[in-house]
Amino acid sequence: MKHHFSDSVDQVQSPNRLFFLFSAALLFGVVCGVITAYFLDFNAQQALYSDVTGFLSDPRSDTVSIWQSLWSIGRIPLMIVLLAFTCFGVIGVPVSVGMQGYLLSFTTAVMVRLLGFKGLLLGIAGFGIQALFLIPCILLWSTQSFSVSKQFLKMLIPTKHAEPQGMIVFPRGFFFALFLGVVMLIFGAILDYFFARQLISFVSNTFILH
């Protein structure tokens, strides 16, 4: 059973296959977020509606620091990188990618249900900047992290056709991918910190509260 699982994981090694796998995981999370928002009960909808309208009346009242913005955008990518250095990453990385898709879609889907098309505009204003930098980073890091985690798994559960590995070999471009992802996350967090609230204020004042 262990060998069968290790062999199955070992077959998922092509970068194109990995990119397709994690794109599908992200999309699955997005769909789950939308479905969850659709089945939200009435009381939860009313509570969220009160929170949204209270925030829209004064978006600057709920200010966050640049570090909070960076943590908000970088917590799941960081989890994905940490999972790379464990054998659990072969399961945890796809789950984390799906979780990120869920978080991106759920709040926006709730706002769409409460406010219609205006809620979609509000969701794009609130999360669009994050998503623009977060999604490429997630897909980039997940493919690299999965490849490293797979090697840890093979050290514990060697395949039928290979001996246990004594050393982890990082994929080509692994550290460059980490550096590029960090740059994207920092740049995205800075833009989100300085411009997201202005966009939310513009959308709310122009389309919702006028």
Side-chain angles (χ1 to χ4, degrees):
M1 181 68 177
K2 291 182 178 179
H3 284 292
H4 178 72
F5 177 70
S6 184
D7 289 337
S8 300
V9 171
D10 195 45
Q11 293 174 3
V12 186
Q13 56 187 348
S14 166
N16 292 333
R17 288 183 181 179
L18 290 176
F19 182 82
F20 176 79
L21 169 68
F22 294 117
S23 297
L26 187 70
L27 181 60
F28 179 76
V30 169
V31 172
C32 288
V34 173
I35 293 175
T36 304
Y38 179 80
F39 287 103
L40 209 61
D41 63 48
F42 179 78
N43 292 331
Q45 288 185 55
Q46 292 302 308
L48 287 170
Y49 183 77
S50 299
D51 291 340
V52 169
T53 53
F55 172 74
L56 292 179
S57 63
D58 186 11
R60 296 183 182 276
S61 62
D62 187 25
T63 57
V64 297
S65 68
I66 184 66
W67 301 111
Q68 288 173 310
S69 182
L70 183 60
W71 173 248
S72 176
I73 194 175
R75 55 190 174 183
I76 291 185
L78 176 61
M79 183 190 304
I80 288 173
V81 171
L82 294 178
L83 283 168
F85 299 97
T86 74
C87 62
F88 302 108
V90 294
I91 299 297
V93 170
V95 171
S96 298
V97 174
M99 184 189 307
Q100 183 65 79
Y102 180 90
L103 294 175
L104 284 173
S105 68
F106 174 73
T107 305
T108 300
V110 168
M111 289 188 289
V112 170
R113 188 169 183 189
L114 296 175
L115 302 171
F117 180 71
K118 298 175 182 179
L120 177 60
L121 295 177
L122 189 62
I124 293 173
F127 302 103
I129 295 177
Q130 282 193 24
L132 188 63
F133 295 91
L134 182 56
I135 291 175
C137 179
I138 283 283
L139 295 178
L140 179 64
W141 281 4
S142 60
T143 56
Q144 298 289 330
S145 296
F146 185 88
S147 298
V148 175
S149 179
K150 184 179 66 176
Q151 294 188 60
F152 279 100
L153 179 67
K154 290 168 67 176
M155 290 178 64
L156 297 176
I157 311 173
T159 61
K160 295 179 181 179
H161 309 292
E163 295 297 324
Q165 292 183 213
M167 181 179 296
I168 297 298
V169 179
F170 291 96
R172 178 182 298 179
F174 177 80
F175 293 103
F176 176 74
L178 289 183
F179 171 76
L180 184 61
V182 168
V183 171
M184 285 191 291
L185 291 178
I186 292 176
F187 193 57
I190 292 173
L191 291 180
D192 183 71
Y193 176 76
F194 284 106
F195 295 108
R197 294 186 180 278
Q198 284 77 3
L199 289 173
I200 291 172
S201 296
F202 173 77
V203 170
S204 62
N205 292 330
T206 305
F207 300 101
I208 300 175
L209 299 178
H210 70 285

